[in-house]
């Protein structure tokens, strides 16, 4: 009969077999025998007979009859805790050995019954949590109950609940106590009650070693800078310049060799003395110092207006300002003066000699009004300079004519002292001194060109082509009237000597040439052999001839025959004649008025005329130089400022300020707008001329 | 190079000029016509002054820059022309 009676049996597996209580059914013997058969090694004999002896024997009818011997036979029953259902031959794959290996120990647990309960061990987490929640109220309760207990004796009749409560509380107390005690102590290790041993071992402690490493600290430098708005701006500018340079380099890549050469040059320059960098600053300082030294002159130049002019009706005065002199130019005389059109304070002085016997070297000197003690540029020349002209558009180009007939062009931007271009005997230089040079507008190929006139009677045009001067004869001056006559037997016409010329301001091809014979020829660039007109101007050489700045028809001429004459080029006789009692060196129109001009004479006087105010006399006659023997040679008006510069034959250049009377403009009528501009000037002149013409016509 | 020397000589020979000092960007005088102690004093003090003045001008408009500075006192006038790397100080007594 199968065993139906099931009991919850939990057996712990161990090496020790456990004795078990066995049911008394007959089957037990069978079971035992089965067990015996299935025994796997653990044997502990147990005398089941002894146990059986404790009870009276009741023989069931189908009991085996055994003999005494058989009965005494001891049967060994081995009880093991092995699970008969557990598989004995579980095999697992071992990756280490790469084969299937049987598992040595197999789980022998057989669960017969399973019931989930709701009891918690009081040391488990959940129990503790619950206790913690109930802990406070419990403790309070226990405290209260304790006090109650103390006060009251245990009330037996306070229902079973109370008792139970007491018991519980007592239990709780105990529990609380036990909990308290437990928390007081360190938590004891949970040890296996059956089989536990503590073992400890100590390893060798390695000796401690300290290792350190020190590196060199990184180099430190303290850096300080300010970050201002302008410093940031500077950095940005540099960046931009670098970028532009890079762009240029990218473009000029094939020019590598040139760049290398230039790089070498720049390297050398930077290694040279540091003082060169101070040059610009030194210049500024020099000017400042000069300004201080000549402070009163500078103030006069700027602000002084002669108040006494109000009392003098029409006359004016010239206030001397700076005096320019250069040591090395002491024995030379000023032969040419020219203001620079772009830089209004810069002027050029050509030094040489008018004396035929005393020919020697010359000099080209540039002064600025800002520094009167030392020239800005100076170029010594082998031959005396007689004339010069600064290019109106390119203020660094200066054309110079020499006493020996050469012409040269200097470039101020370049450092070298020689001219950039120079004519030579091969390239058509004049055979006589060059008296006047004038720049012209660039020709069709954008080459600069200028004209020169000389005593050899030629008016030559020079063109700057690349690196040389190319000359073209424009006109050959000949004695008047000789051209048309050419019959046989007559000696070939001799050349006249040109001493001055001037180009018309508006009409480009029209120009005037003054000759040594005292005649003035009106010529055109187009006609190379014939003059348009000839004027019998003077008895001696014509020293200067100048077109009026405003009026297109009027020009002025002066000569060593003591006279200054004003002409209308349509009329063959002069409109005005002025006698100045001394040889007139130079005459110049003023840039601000068509009726004002100034002349310098050999007796050291400057004469200023204003035809609008006084047609017959100068409104100012003033000796300008200290020694009366010095002759004044040239005069020029400054295009902007009310000053004139006067050169003399000692090499000095004096600057003078024009007083207000000399610069008068027509008085404005109240309420009327004053018309300005060249038209006014032209009208002024025209009015003058018309006044003259009428009486002339009436006379004629 | 020689031109600069000449220019400096000319300045020195001008009326009333008491001394010239060239100072580099760090404030160290590199050339002077005055005695050592005065030079050092001028260089140090003026350097600061110039830096301040320049800073002022440029802060107002970064595209602007200082061209020169004049300090006129009762006894003399100090003129300073600054450059990118150097500046030149001239002390003049203009009323001489």
């Amino acid at each position: 009969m199968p065993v139906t009676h099931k009991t919850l049996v939990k057996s712990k597996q161990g090496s020790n077999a456990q004795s078990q209580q066995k049911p008394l059914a007959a089957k037990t013997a069978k079971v035992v025998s089965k067990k015996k058969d299935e025994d796997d090694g653990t044997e502990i004999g147990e005398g089941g007979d002894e146990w059986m002896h404790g009870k009276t024997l009741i023989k069931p009818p189908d009991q085996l009859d055994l003999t005494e011997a058989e009965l005494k036979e001891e049967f060994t029953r081995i009880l093991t805790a092995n699970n008969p259902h557990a598989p004995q031959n579980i095999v697992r794959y071992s990756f280490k050995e790469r084969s299937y290996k049987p598992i040595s120990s197999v789980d022998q647990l057989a669960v017969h019954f399973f019931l989930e309960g709701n009891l918690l061990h009081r040391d488990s987490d959940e129990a503790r949590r619950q206790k913690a929640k109930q802990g406070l109220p419990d403790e309070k309760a226990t405290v209260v109950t304790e006090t109650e207990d103390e006060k009251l004796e245990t009330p037996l009749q306070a229902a079973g609940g109370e008792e139970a409560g007491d018991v519980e509380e007592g239990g709780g107390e105990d529990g609380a106590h036990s909990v308290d005690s437990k928390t007081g102590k360190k938590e004891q290790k949970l040890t296996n009650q059956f089989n536990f041993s503590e073992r400890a071992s100590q390893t060798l402690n390695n000796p401690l070693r300290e290792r350190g490493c020190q590196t060199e600290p990184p180099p430190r430098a303290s850096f300080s800078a300010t970050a201002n708005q302008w410093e940031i701006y500077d950095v940005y500018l540099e960046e931009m310049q670098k970028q532009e340079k890079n762009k240029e380099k990218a473009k000029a890549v094939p020019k590598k060799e040139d760049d290398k050469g230039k790089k070498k040059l720049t390297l050398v320059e930077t290694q040279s003395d540091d003082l060169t960098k101070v040059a610009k600053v030194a210049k500024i300082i020099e000017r400042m110092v000069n300004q201080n030294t000549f402070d009163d002159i500078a103030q006069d130049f700027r602000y002084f207006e002669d108040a006494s002019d109000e009392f003098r009706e029409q006359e004016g005065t010239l206030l001397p300002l700076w005096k320019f002199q250069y040591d090395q130019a002491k024995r030379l005389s000023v032969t040419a003066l020219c203001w620079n059109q772009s830089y209004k304070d810069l002027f050029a002085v050509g030094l040489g000699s008018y004396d035929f016997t005393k020919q020697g070297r010359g000099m080209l000197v540039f002064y600025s009004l800002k520094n009167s003690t030392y020239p800005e540029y100076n170029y010594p020349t082998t031959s005396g300079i007689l004339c010069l002209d600064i290019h109106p558009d390119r203020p660094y180009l200066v054309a110079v004519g020499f006493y020996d007939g050469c012409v040269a062009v200097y470039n101020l931007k370049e450092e070298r002292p020689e001219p950039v271009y120079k004519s030579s005997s091969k390239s058509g230089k004049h055979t006589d001194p060059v008296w006047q040079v004038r720049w012209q507008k660039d020709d069709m190929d954008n080459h600069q060109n200028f004209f020169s006139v000389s005593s050899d009677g030629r008016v030559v045009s020079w063109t700057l082509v690349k690196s040389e001067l190319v000359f073209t004869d424009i006109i050959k001056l000949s004695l008047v009237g000789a051209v048309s006559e050419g019959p046989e037997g007559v000696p070939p016409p001799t050349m006249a000597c040109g001493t001055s010329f001037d180009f018309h301001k508006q009409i480009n091809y029209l120009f005037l040439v003054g000759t040594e014979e005292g005649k003035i020829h009106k010529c055109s660039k187009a006609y190379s052999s014939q003059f348009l007109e000839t004027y019998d101007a003077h008895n001696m050489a014509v020293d200067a001839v100048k077109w009026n700045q405003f009026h297109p028809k009027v020009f002025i001429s002066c000569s060593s025959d003591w006279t200054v004459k004003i002409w209308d080029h349509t009329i063959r006789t002069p409109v005005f004649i002025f006698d100045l009692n001394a040889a007139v060196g130079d005459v110049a129109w003023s840039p601000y008025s068509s009726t004002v001009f100034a002349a310098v004479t050999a007796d050291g006087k400057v004469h200023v005329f204003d035809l609008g105010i006084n047609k017959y006399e100068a409104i100012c006659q003033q000796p300008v130089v200290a020694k009366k023997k010095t002759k004044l040679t040239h005069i020029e008006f400054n295009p902007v400022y009310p000053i004139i510069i006067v050169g003399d034959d000692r090499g000095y250049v004096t600057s003078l300020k024009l007083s207000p009377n000399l610069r008068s403009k027509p008085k404005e009528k109240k309420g009327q707008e004053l018309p300005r501009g060249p038209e006014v000037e032209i009208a002024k002149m025209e009015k003058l001329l018309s006044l003259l013409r009428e009486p002339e016509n009436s006379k004629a | 190079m020689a031109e600069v020397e000449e220019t400096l000589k000319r300045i020195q020979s001008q009326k009333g000029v008491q001394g010239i000092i060239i100072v580099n960007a760090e404030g160290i005088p590199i050339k002077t016509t005055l005695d050592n102690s005065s030079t050092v004093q001028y260089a140090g003090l003026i350097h600061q002054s110039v830096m301040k003045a320049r800073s002022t001008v440029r802060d107002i408009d970064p595209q602007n820059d200082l061209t020169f500075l004049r300090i006129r006192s009762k006894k003399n006038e100090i003129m300073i022309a600054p450059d990118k790397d150097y500046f030149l100080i001239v002390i003049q007594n203009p009323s001489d």
Side-chain angles (χ1 to χ4, degrees), chain B residues 4-19:
Chain B
V4 177
E5 291 281 353
E6 265 188 49
T7 312
L8 294 174
K9 266 187 217 164
R10 284 200 306 273
I11 296 172
Q12 178 69 30
S13 63
Q14 281 278 349
K15 198 175 66 166
V17 172
Q18 289 169 357

Side-chain angles (χ1 to χ4, degrees), chain A residues 362-379:
Chain A
M363 250 193 169
L364 175 64
V365 179
F366 282 81
Y367 279 103
S368 164
L369 293 179
K370 298 172 188 171
N371 184 352
S372 59
T373 52
Y374 195 76
E376 303 290 312
Y377 303 95
N378 73 324
Y379 300 94

Side-chain angles (χ1 to χ4, degrees), chain A residues 228-231 233-234 237 273-295 371 373-375 415, chain B residues 1 4-8 10-11 14-15 17 22 31 54-55 58-59 62-63 68-70 72 77 79-83 85-86 88 90 92 94:
Chain A
N228 283 329
Q229 194 182 4
W230 52 270
E231 291 203 8
Y233 174 81
D234 275 346
L237 259 185
D273 207 307
D274 285 335
L275 268 186
T276 46
K277 290 183 193 173
V278 195
K280 191 184 158 201
V281 186
K283 207 171 192 179
I284 295 175
I285 276 276
E286 198 187 349
R287 289 185 181 182
M288 285 164 76
V289 169
N290 271 310
Q291 193 183 8
N292 268 349
T293 319
F294 301 110
D295 182 47
N371 184 352
T373 52
Y374 195 76
E415 298 279 329
Chain B
M1 169 62 191
V4 177
E5 291 281 353
E6 265 188 49
T7 312
L8 294 174
R10 284 200 306 273
I11 296 172
Q14 281 278 349
K15 198 175 66 166
V17 172
I22 302 180
K31 191 171 158 69
R54 193 184 226 163
S55 190
R58 296 210 77 193
D59 271 344
Q63 290 182 336
F68 59 79
L69 188 65
R70 281 180 192 248
R72 195 156 196 151
E77 177 164 346
M79 287 171 279
I80 306 127
D83 189 36
D85 303 317
Y86 295 90
L88 197 58
V90 172
Q92 186 189 21

Side-chain angles (χ1 to χ4, degrees), chain A residues 12-303:
Chain A
K12 283 189 183 171
Q13 197 177 5
S15 52
N16 306 322
Q18 288 178 354
S19 57
Q20 287 176 343
Q21 286 186 353
K22 304 259 177 235
L24 285 168
K27 284 285 175 182
T28 55
K30 285 184 186 174
V31 171
V32 167
S33 64
K34 274 187 191 169
K35 287 245 170 167
K36 188 181 163 189
D37 289 339
E38 293 167 24
D39 178 26
D40 59 346
T42 56
E43 292 179 27
I44 289 180
E46 184 94 18
D49 294 322
E50 290 172 9
W51 186 74
M52 275 186 183
H53 278 305
K55 292 194 174 176
T56 53
L57 285 166
I58 304 167
K59 260 193 177 176
D62 54 352
Q63 198 184 40
L64 283 171
D65 276 27
L66 295 170
T67 58
E68 284 289 326
E70 284 178 88
L71 279 170
K72 283 184 185 170
E73 199 181 321
E74 274 195 24
F75 289 97
T76 317
R77 292 176 210 149
I78 299 164
L79 301 172
T80 60
N82 296 331
N83 184 359
H85 297 298
Q88 310 258 321
N89 53 353
I90 295 179
V91 179
R92 285 260 157 81
Y93 186 73
S94 161
F95 285 96
K96 187 175 167 188
E97 284 148 64
R98 304 218 183 165
S99 60
Y100 286 99
K101 290 257 159 150
I103 293 177
S104 51
S105 57
V106 179
D107 192 21
Q108 302 288 330
L109 180 67
V111 177
H112 295 283
F113 177 71
F114 179 71
L115 171 70
E116 277 200 39
N118 52 7
L119 289 177
L120 294 170
H121 194 272
R122 70 167 137 179
D123 287 342
S124 70
D125 291 328
E126 184 57 27
R128 284 202 196 124
R129 255 182 261 143
Q130 286 185 3
K131 265 191 211 163
K133 280 181 197 170
Q134 293 168 355
L136 291 171
D138 266 348
E139 279 171 13
K140 281 182 189 171
T142 50
V143 167
V144 169
T145 50
E146 275 177 29
T147 53
E148 278 182 13
D149 281 340
E150 285 169 6
K151 288 176 185 175
L152 307 167
E153 292 180 349
T154 52
L156 293 166
Q157 290 187 349
E162 266 196 27
E163 278 186 62
D166 283 339
V167 169
E168 278 180 13
E169 283 162 6
E173 279 180 45
D174 289 341
H177 282 305
S178 64
V179 165
D180 288 335
S181 64
K182 273 190 182 170
T183 50
K185 289 182 196 169
K186 225 167 123 183
E187 275 192 27
Q188 284 179 349
K189 241 169 126 185
L190 290 172
T191 56
N192 184 354
Q193 294 171 15
F194 303 105
N195 185 7
F196 180 76
S197 68
E198 250 187 64
R199 269 204 297 186
S201 70
Q202 179 151 15
T203 55
L204 280 172
N205 286 336
N206 287 328
L208 289 175
R209 259 185 218 176
E210 207 173 286
R211 260 210 192 152
C213 182
Q214 184 166 11
T215 56
E216 242 184 56
R220 281 188 195 186
S222 72
F223 170 79
S224 71
T226 48
N228 283 329
Q229 194 182 4
W230 52 270
E231 291 203 8
I232 298 167
Y233 174 81
D234 275 346
V235 172
Y236 270 112
L237 259 185
E238 272 180 42
E239 269 299 310
M240 268 184 62
Q241 281 172 4
K242 271 185 200 170
Q243 280 180 10
E244 277 171 29
K245 270 186 193 172
N246 285 339
K247 279 184 197 170
E248 280 172 33
K249 275 183 190 172
K251 282 180 192 172
V253 161
K255 293 179 191 174
K256 275 181 188 174
E257 288 179 13
D258 287 339
D259 285 346
K260 279 181 193 169
K262 281 175 195 172
K263 275 179 194 171
K264 282 180 191 167
L265 278 174
T266 50
L267 276 173
V268 166
E269 281 172 23
T270 49
Q271 285 166 8
S272 66
D273 207 307
D274 285 335
L275 268 186
T276 46
K277 290 183 193 173
V278 195
K280 191 184 158 201
V281 186
K283 207 171 192 179
I284 295 175
I285 276 276
E286 198 187 349
R287 289 185 181 182
M288 285 164 76
V289 169
N290 271 310
Q291 193 183 8
N292 268 349
T293 319
F294 301 110
D295 182 47
D296 42 358
I297 296 177
Q299 300 283 343
D300 285 344
F301 161 73
R302 211 72 201 11
Y303 302 116

Side-chain angles (χ1 to χ4, degrees), chain A residues 389 391-392 394 397 399 409 438-444 446-452 460-465 469-470 472 474 525:
Chain A
D389 192 29
H391 199 288
R394 296 179 182 75
L397 283 179
V409 177
R438 275 274 183 271
W439 282 103
Q440 300 299 307
K441 287 189 189 156
D442 287 358
D443 65 3
M444 307 259 277
N446 281 341
H447 292 136
Q448 296 96 25
N449 67 332
F450 63 94
F451 277 56
S452 68
V460 180
S461 153
W462 304 84
T463 314
L464 274 66
V465 179
L469 281 176
V470 177
T472 326
I474 294 297
K525 285 189 200 174

Side-chain angles (χ1 to χ4, degrees), chain A residues 514-559:
Chain A
T515 62
E516 216 170 288
E517 294 77 36
K519 301 214 191 313
I520 297 178
H521 304 286
K522 184 168 73 172
C523 319
S524 160
K525 285 189 200 174
Y527 297 96
S528 63
S529 54
Q530 247 195 351
F531 310 127
L532 296 175
E533 187 87 55
T534 308
Y535 310 90
D536 281 325
H538 293 275
N539 301 320
M540 290 179 72
V542 179
D543 281 334
V545 59
K546 301 246 168 89
W547 286 101
N548 188 305
Q549 310 260 9
F550 298 97
H551 201 284
K553 288 190 188 171
V554 178
F555 67 90
I556 194 170
S557 70
C558 76
S559 158

